Amino acid sequence: MSQIFSDETHRNLLSRIPHCTGREVADWLRTVDEGPAFSRFEEKVSWLRGEHQLAYGHAKAIIHEHDLRRAARKLL
């Protein structure tokens, strides 16, 4: 998994998602968990954008955060 944003940019995008979308990041992460099982990053981003009308940057940040948390769970 490659870094798509700087850490600061990623944190800033995540902090704005609730205001811009009306939903908390945790809700979006559950949506990704419950959504289709795409294997490629960009497929997941495209699905979020198309299905939920998210801006490209917000969709990328959500999928990136989802991947980070999934990787952290595997390490435990």
Side-chain angles (χ1 to χ4, degrees):
M1 172 177 55
S2 63
Q3 182 74 21
I4 59 166
F5 301 120
S6 71
D7 288 339
E8 180 181 4
T9 300
H10 180 66
R11 284 191 309 273
N12 287 337
L13 276 168
L14 286 180
S15 71
R16 289 194 309 262
I17 285 172
H19 174 73
C20 294
T21 68
R23 292 177 60 186
E24 295 296 322
V25 172
D27 292 337
W28 286 114
L29 296 175
R30 277 192 298 279
T31 297
V32 174
D33 280 338
E34 295 167 358
F38 295 116
S39 59
R40 294 183 56 233
F41 183 88
E42 285 299 327
E43 290 174 323
K44 295 174 196 175
V45 171
S46 293
W47 172 75
L48 268 183
R49 291 185 70 212
E51 188 72 20
H52 299 283
Q53 293 74 46
L54 289 178
Y56 183 68
H58 292 145
K60 281 179 71 171
I62 290 165
I63 297 301
H64 183 60
E65 184 67 17
H66 183 268
D67 289 350
L68 288 173
R69 291 184 185 195
R70 186 181 63 206
R73 285 191 304 261
K74 287 182 181 180
L75 293 176
L76 296 177

